[in-house]
Amino acid sequence: MNANLVNQLVRPEILELSAYHVPDSEGMIKLDAMENPYLLPEKEQVQLGEWIRTAEINRYPAPHAPDVKALIKTSFGIPKDKDILLGNGSDEIIQIIAMALAQPNAVILGVEPSFVMYKMIATFLRMKYVGIPLRANDFQLDLPAMLEAIRVHQPAVIFLAYPNNPTGNLFHLEDIQTIIEATSGLVVIDEAYHAFAGNSFLTALAPYAEKVVIMRTLSKLGLAGLRLGFLIGDPAWLAEFDKVRLPYNINVLTQKATVFALENIDIFNQQAASIVEQRHVLFTALCDLGLQPFESQANFILCRVPEAETVFLRLKTEFHILIKFMGKAHAFLTDCLRFTVGSPEENQLLIQALTVILKN
Ligand SMILES: *Cc1c(COP(=O)(O)O)cnc(C)c1O
């Protein structure tokens, strides 16, 4: 192996990166990745097995998956005049959008802290990433700073997660609208957590449809393993994005399982509703422990915890509970942990463990 050759040929900004880290979770209570804790009920598991049995895995998948798209539209109440683009997770959709817009010197504008893939994908595609800090006190958009960044950098695209990850809040709608009006680029509203949120931008989309698209995913709803994200937007945008999508990006099993899942969407909506209930339970319990959780509209809670990294490590080693330590993500978050809302039993174990740890 000639390491010199690697160093010589690979772009320096790639050499500098560390690969996206996924911690080993074998045997752990997994409250780190915003997964839905529930499987399908036994009866539907059997039905899914039966339904998948006849999947034509000898064939390439349908490139446009019209049945999946039609079901997405009816399941999520998406207006008829919008098109749908499917991605191998919404991560792939971020990449597709960026690939289509990556003209020389094109800028991606985001906020900090937010979802890390916007910046990573900008780096992959040699785009410039500009991240504007949120307001430190309430994690809302710093509107004057955003408007200044739009003026100075003229971003090709702005990514806003609604609700935001890792802070869990919804940005003020009027701020988003002001940003949309100010930019001459595209705005992507990333609604990965819409199933748990009190609002969606879909209802506010109509007047801005020329420069706004909405991105969603089935991952947080309970289907992270399938890898299916989708983009909602005007046909003119989606037709261009579709050109950079690899032809068979959604595999046969995912397409088939998605149809089954969407025909049983009530199960997932009920699970989401119970996760929202559990979010309230967990929030109250964290307050009762004397901690400072932030209000969340998602299926996780960001929380200030004294000696956060020690608490994270003790949860992992002594209690086999995996959560996310946010201290390295942003200066605002040095003492923050992010807890995914789990099942009632998992949340109970988390609270019990925190009670022990915080006492000594
Ligand atoms: C989890 C997450 C995604 C990625 O979802 P996938 O569809 O699983 O790729 C996108 N955006 C935000 C804000 C997320 O938190």
Side-chain angles (χ1 to χ4, degrees), residues 34 89-91 115 118 161 165 190 192-193 217 219-220 227-229:
M34 282 79 94
S90 44
D91 287 350
F115 189 49
Y118 312 140
N165 171 15
D190 180 351
Y193 299 97
T217 175
S219 294
K220 299 345 188 296
R227 308 303 297 131
L228 194 92

Side-chain angles (χ1 to χ4, degrees), residues 113-141:
S114 187
F115 189 49
V116 294
M117 288 313 288
Y118 312 140
K119 182 178 178 179
M120 285 183 66
I121 286 170
T123 307
F124 298 164
L125 296 171
R126 298 193 130 161
M127 296 176 83
K128 184 172 169 199
Y129 174 82
V130 175
I132 300 299
L134 296 171
R135 297 199 309 220
N137 58 335
D138 61 0
F139 299 138
Q140 282 295 327
L141 294 163

Side-chain angles (χ1 to χ4, degrees), residues 8-79:
Q8 189 188 321
L9 292 180
V10 174
R11 289 154 46 195
E13 64 273 27
I14 304 298
L15 288 172
E16 243 174 54
L17 288 175
S18 30
Y20 189 81
H21 177 64
V22 179
D24 184 14
S25 58
E26 183 73 30
M28 305 279 273
I29 295 174
K30 216 171 161 317
L31 300 176
D32 66 322
M34 282 79 94
E35 291 144 331
N36 171 340
Y38 304 111
L39 286 165
L40 281 171
E42 180 79 29
K43 176 173 148 250
E44 282 76 15
Q45 283 184 14
V46 172
Q47 288 173 349
L48 173 61
E50 194 53 31
W51 172 244
I52 285 288
R53 196 172 63 85
T54 55
E56 295 193 324
I57 55 173
N58 56 320
R59 302 289 178 200
Y60 281 106
H64 297 288
D67 53 340
V68 177
K69 288 182 184 175
L71 262 170
I72 284 176
K73 281 187 147 188
T74 53
S75 306
F76 298 105
I78 293 160

Side-chain angles (χ1 to χ4, degrees), residues 169-220:
N169 59 315
L170 290 170
F171 299 133
H172 296 315
L173 204 57
E174 315 81 67
D175 290 352
I176 297 178
Q177 287 164 329
T178 307
I179 286 167
I180 293 167
E181 279 156 23
T183 187
S184 42
L186 176 69
V187 178
V188 180
I189 308 291
D190 180 351
E191 295 195 335
Y193 299 97
H194 97 278
F196 315 99
N199 204 8
S200 161
F201 198 80
L202 198 56
T203 48
L205 177 64
Y208 306 110
E210 261 182 36
K211 51 176 169 174
V212 179
V213 290
I214 295 177
M215 189 168 68
R216 289 195 183 170
T217 175
L218 299 185
S219 294
K220 299 345 188 296

